[in-house]
């Protein structure tokens, strides 16, 4: 089954380029696109994409609001933010609002295709490099650190190991290999970790784990 993608960007040339790159893969289909997020709920409800790619800065309804509206839907698709900046405050807010990660607009074509498949598979698509920059730029302090430590205290020793691996940007396959467990077991652990940490996605797990001082 093809991965269905909805694309939101106010620049026609950018949308055309991204659509061409994605559809060069026979396993990806761009089913909807728009120049802003005004009708994102309608498009997502109508076309049921697996992945939403949205620019941060668009007229009328931008990427932050798109993230909020999409992640508030029942059984929402994965949302990834497109940006020209390596790390900025908008990306951080989008991740806190439930986005599964973000992509730079100069991402190489094969990496963009791989990221969409990763998102559709239920994983975050932050590379270790981007994860480190994000966590370094937006480390919490004070009460946020205390709250993160309180949440992490709920984890078992094994769950902490998995959480640290997630914070380092490791994929399920890499975690499974490093910790000598099956990928299905990794998924179970991550589900439990997200529940205990009140995290909506892997990126939020990484942020909380980092703020607690484990990564």
């Amino acid at each position: 089954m093809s991965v269905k993608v909805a694309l939101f960007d106010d620049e026609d040339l950018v949308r055309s380029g991204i659509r061409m790159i994605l559809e060069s893969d026979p396993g990806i289909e761009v089913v909807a696109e728009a120049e802003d997020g005004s009708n994102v709920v309608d498009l997502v409800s109508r076309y049921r994409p697996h992945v939403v790619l949205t620019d941060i800065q668009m007229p009328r309804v931008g990427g932050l609001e798109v993230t909020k509206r999409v992640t508030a839907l029942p059984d929402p698709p994965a949302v990834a933010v497109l940006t020209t900046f390596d790390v900025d405050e908008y990306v951080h807010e989008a991740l806190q609002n439930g986005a599964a990660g973000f992509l730079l607009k100069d991402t190489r074509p094969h990496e963009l295709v791989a990221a969409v498949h990763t998102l559709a598979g239920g994983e975050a698509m932050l590379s270790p490099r981007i994860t480190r920059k994000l966590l370094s730029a937006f480390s919490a302090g004070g009460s946020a650190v205390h709250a993160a430590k309180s949440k992490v205290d709920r984890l078992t020793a094994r769950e902490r190991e998995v959480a640290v691996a997630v914070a380092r940007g490791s994929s399920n396959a890499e975690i499974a290999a490093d910790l000598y467990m099956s990928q299905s077991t990794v998924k179970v652990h991550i589900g439990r970790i997200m529940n205990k940490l009140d995290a909506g996605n892997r990126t939020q797990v990484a942020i909380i784990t980092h703020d607690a001082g484990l990564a």
Side-chain angles (χ1 to χ4, degrees):
M1 183 176 64
S2 293
V3 174
K4 297 187 291 185
V5 176
L7 176 61
F8 298 85
D9 195 296
D10 60 320
E11 297 184 37
D12 292 342
L13 187 59
V14 172
R15 285 203 319 275
S16 297
I18 293 175
R19 183 177 64 250
M20 181 175 65
I21 290 170
L22 294 179
E23 293 191 335
S24 67
D25 185 313
I28 297 177
E29 178 186 7
V30 177
V31 295
E33 60 180 273
E35 63 183 13
D36 69 69
S38 299
N39 61 343
V40 62
V41 172
D42 177 61
L43 290 176
V44 169
S45 299
R46 185 187 310 173
Y47 293 103
R48 304 300 300 169
H50 302 102
V51 176
V52 170
L53 298 181
T54 179
D55 188 17
I56 276 284
Q57 296 179 321
M58 297 183 290
R60 294 178 293 278
V61 178
L64 294 178
E65 184 62 25
V66 166
T67 303
K68 289 181 181 179
R69 294 183 184 184
V70 172
T71 55
L73 294 171
D75 192 23
V79 180
V81 173
L82 296 167
T83 178
T84 55
F85 304 102
D86 218 348
V87 173
D88 61 31
E89 60 188 86
Y90 301 109
V91 169
H92 184 254
E93 186 174 346
L95 293 174
Q96 294 284 33
N97 288 344
F102 72 95
L103 286 167
L104 301 178
K105 287 188 176 180
D106 62 357
T107 296
R108 295 177 180 177
H110 73 278
E111 292 175 341
L112 177 60
V113 169
V116 166
H117 282 292
T118 298
L119 285 162
E123 294 189 45
M125 31 57 64
L126 293 176
S127 69
R129 176 178 65 89
I130 294 298
T131 299
R132 284 193 296 270
K133 286 189 175 185
L134 179 70
L135 296 178
S136 175
F138 297 103
S139 294
S143 60
V145 169
H146 178 74
K149 289 182 177 179
S150 296
K151 290 180 178 180
V152 166
D153 284 343
R154 305 169 187 169
L155 304 180
T156 66
R158 194 59 160 171
E159 288 167 350
R160 288 190 180 206
E161 290 181 319
V162 174
V164 169
V166 170
R168 290 172 178 164
S170 299
S171 67
N172 284 2
E174 291 169 335
I175 296 172
D178 290 343
L179 298 182
Y180 304 101
M181 61 178 72
S182 67
Q183 290 191 48
S184 60
T185 301
V186 173
K187 290 182 179 180
V188 170
H189 278 305
I190 290 176
R192 290 173 179 167
I193 291 167
M194 289 172 61
N195 183 56
K196 290 182 179 180
L197 298 185
D198 298 321
N201 55 49
R202 294 167 70 101
T203 307
Q204 291 179 2
V205 169
I207 291 172
I208 294 169
T209 302
H210 181 271
D211 288 345
L214 295 185

